Amino acid sequence: MNTTQTALVAGLLAAVAVWAPATAAEATVQPFPDVSRIAPTPPMGWNSWNHFAEHVTDADIRSAADFLVSTGMRDAGYVYVNIDDTWQGKRDAHGVLHSNERFPDMQALSQYIHAKGLKFGIYSSPGARTCAGYEGSLGHEAEDARMYAAWGVDFLKYDLCSLREDMKKAKAEHPDDPDVAKNIMIDAYRKMGAALSATGRTIVYSLCQYGVDQPWTWGPSVGASMWRTTGDISDSYARMSKIGFGQAGLAAFAGAGHWNDPDMLEIGNGKMSEDEYRTHMSLWALLAAPLLAGNDLSKMGPADRQILTNPDAIAIDQDSLGSQGERLYRDGELEVWRRPLSGGRVAVGVFNRGESPRDVSIKLARVGFPGGASLRDVWKQKDLGRRSRSFKDTVPKHGVTLLIVSSR
Ligand code: GLA
């Protein structure tokens, strides 16, 4: 993050602290310890939802762990193995939640994942029900958090789901209080944040509430390392690009330890072209987004593997400066995005959102290098040498040229 961004975020966090209404629930909550070291760079891994959805089983998760290792994904940085919705069974008379018959032994599954040098992620909701109608954590936050810690959980995605109904009800009952729903939501997220923190285990806390009420302004105050900024992604260029290009304006809210999350990856799920998947990966890397693959790793072909494991794209995403990229300019269906990187370099994405190939010429002065620069083409995996004034290329339909630009 540059100095201006750091000051902006600090100011915003201070503003949130002042603005946050003091409710009875809040008064009892201790301030959060600094969680910024939990995810110094955007978390990377795999999540079951985009491919397996509600059919996921213990065997699918073990297989994903196996393939993360054998395909080189783990070594490229994809370490979290996250079970999404539908692992839950019933709560017993003591309030203890058990996994369902598709997940016979969570402890053993966690050990299997950890033994491979991977980390274990799980999913719940602050509501009574998850989005797929399974048991949520409402009223059981502390015991659920303790159970996750006992299982060796390293990542929790906490999905608003049925709490939305409680929020709607409160809004109808208190039409004069414009913040009633928002306060219910923030209190619920803070409650689980505090419960996770109280376990003493390092657990990435990932908020999923579809960007309602600008979570980027209050996510850090509930102990979150990342927060969804949008509704759900799907395996379509229209949806992916709407979400990805729609992230413009949010860069000031991301930085080491706290990340905007435009949702998980669809690369490899089959309904986009290779150029479109390269656009997906490039945008997420420029956005410093968490990279959670969502494909069936057992069927991944070489093209999808190369897109997901491109070392330069991953290096951009994981850059130590932690500065999120922004749109620099638009020219019709051309969009140029720029992300500052460590060492004075920048990443530049030249995107063609149009329906036919487009010749482009990018002035280096416009991306911050008036004296010329050395270029590396990320998708060609090739150093292009020095250019003194401009860079020219042809960008395919829905495609991208992604560059790493440096003055040396
Ligand atoms: C919501 C989330 C998705 C997924 C499903 C599971 O829609 O946004 O990412 O977790 O719930 O039910």
Side-chain angles (χ1 to χ4, degrees):
M1 226 176 349
N2 63 35
T3 332
T4 323
Q5 288 171 326
T6 310
L8 240 172
V9 170
L12 269 160
L13 294 182
V16 168
V18 172
W19 153 88
T23 62
E26 270 179 333
T28 60
V29 172
Q30 299 304 310
F32 273 94
D34 180 14
V35 296
S36 63
R37 272 168 302 178
I38 294 182
T41 61
M44 291 176 65
W46 177 89
N47 172 295
S48 59
W49 187 256
N50 284 353
H51 177 76
F52 291 98
E54 71 274 22
H55 306 293
V56 65
T57 65
D58 174 285
D60 297 328
I61 299 296
R62 286 173 191 247
S63 157
D66 295 347
F67 280 99
L68 281 171
V69 177
S70 65
T71 59
M73 296 264 294
R74 177 196 64 186
D75 294 344
Y78 293 87
V79 293
Y80 289 96
V81 182
N82 295 350
I83 312 176
D84 206 275
D85 204 350
T86 75
W87 62 266
Q88 308 88 334
K90 298 270 168 270
R91 277 188 201 280
D92 64 23
H94 306 288
V96 177
L97 178 59
H98 297 269
S99 50
N100 62 40
E101 60 291 347
R102 283 180 283 116
F103 290 91
D105 187 341
M106 287 299 230
Q107 193 94 49
L109 180 55
S110 170
Q111 278 164 11
Y112 186 87
I113 289 167
H114 285 124
K116 292 184 172 276
L118 296 162
K119 295 181 181 204
F120 179 40
I122 209 161
Y123 166 103
S124 189
S125 168
R129 295 274 155 221
T130 68
C131 297
Y134 286 63
E135 190 78 27
S137 291
L138 183 67
H140 298 275
E141 294 82 0
E143 55 204 300
D144 284 2
R146 283 196 295 270
M147 182 178 71
Y148 304 149
W151 283 349
V153 163
D154 306 297
F155 185 114
L156 173 70
K157 171 174 170 181
Y158 209 43
D159 193 349
L160 191 61
C161 303
S162 80
L163 196 74
R164 270 185 140 174
E165 288 151 32
D166 302 0
M167 289 159 63
K168 262 188 216 148
K169 211 167 137 218
K171 214 168 170 177
E173 282 166 6
H174 303 277
D176 45 333
D177 181 349
D179 288 332
V180 65
K182 180 178 181 176
N183 290 342
I184 288 174
M185 175 173 63
I186 295 179
D187 286 350
Y189 275 104
R190 184 173 287 122
K191 199 168 196 179
M192 181 52 93
L196 292 175
S197 163
T199 68
R201 189 172 169 88
T202 300
I203 299 175
V204 172
Y205 185 31
S206 163
L207 312 188
C208 174
Q209 43 76 281
Y210 340 114
V212 175
D213 288 323
Q214 306 191 321
W216 45 90
T217 61
W218 51 267
S221 76
V222 302
S225 297
M226 53 191 267
W227 41 84
R228 277 270 295 277
T229 55
T230 74
D232 288 13
I233 197 167
S234 62
D235 188 15
S236 95
Y237 176 74
R239 182 70 185 146
M240 179 281 292
S241 60
K242 182 166 193 269
I243 289 178
F245 293 112
Q247 301 300 297
L250 292 183
F253 304 95
H258 48 276
W259 308 105
N260 290 311
D261 173 13
D263 206 357
M264 305 174 290
L265 299 171
E266 290 285 3
I267 296 160
N269 281 331
K271 300 214 173 88
M272 288 187 241
S273 70
E274 280 181 31
D275 281 322
E276 291 168 343
Y277 283 142
R278 277 190 279 271
T279 288
H280 188 2
M281 186 74 185
S282 303
L283 265 173
W284 266 236
L286 287 163
L287 292 168
L291 298 178
L292 295 170
N295 54 327
D296 181 354
L297 298 174
S298 70
K299 301 206 167 67
M300 177 165 61
D304 294 325
R305 181 164 49 78
Q306 276 162 22
I307 293 171
L308 283 165
T309 59
N310 180 294
D312 291 320
I314 290 175
I316 293 171
D317 182 74
Q318 298 286 300
D319 185 76
S320 59
L321 203 57
S323 175
Q324 179 173 328
E326 270 295 348
R327 180 164 51 218
L328 194 60
Y329 63 92
R330 239 191 305 217
D331 171 10
E333 283 159 328
L334 181 78
E335 293 208 14
V336 178
W337 285 63
R338 180 181 183 276
R339 176 177 174 180
L341 301 176
S342 54
R345 300 164 307 144
V346 304
V348 174
V350 183
F351 295 92
N352 175 10
R353 299 182 68 175
E355 298 302 319
S356 44
R358 177 159 170 168
D359 293 332
V360 299
S361 173
I362 306 298
K363 287 199 174 62
L364 292 176
R366 197 137 186 212
V367 298
F369 294 84
S374 300
L375 307 179
R376 179 168 174 79
D377 186 315
V378 168
W379 294 114
K380 290 196 178 114
Q381 283 287 282
K382 203 171 146 196
D383 287 326
L384 304 178
R386 263 198 98 70
R387 298 282 191 285
S388 55
R389 300 176 77 84
S390 63
F391 164 77
K392 293 186 174 51
D393 202 4
T394 303
V395 185
K397 160 190 167 175
H398 297 180
V400 59
T401 296
L402 182 60
L403 299 169
I404 295 175
V405 186
S406 61
S407 56
R408 269 170 282 143

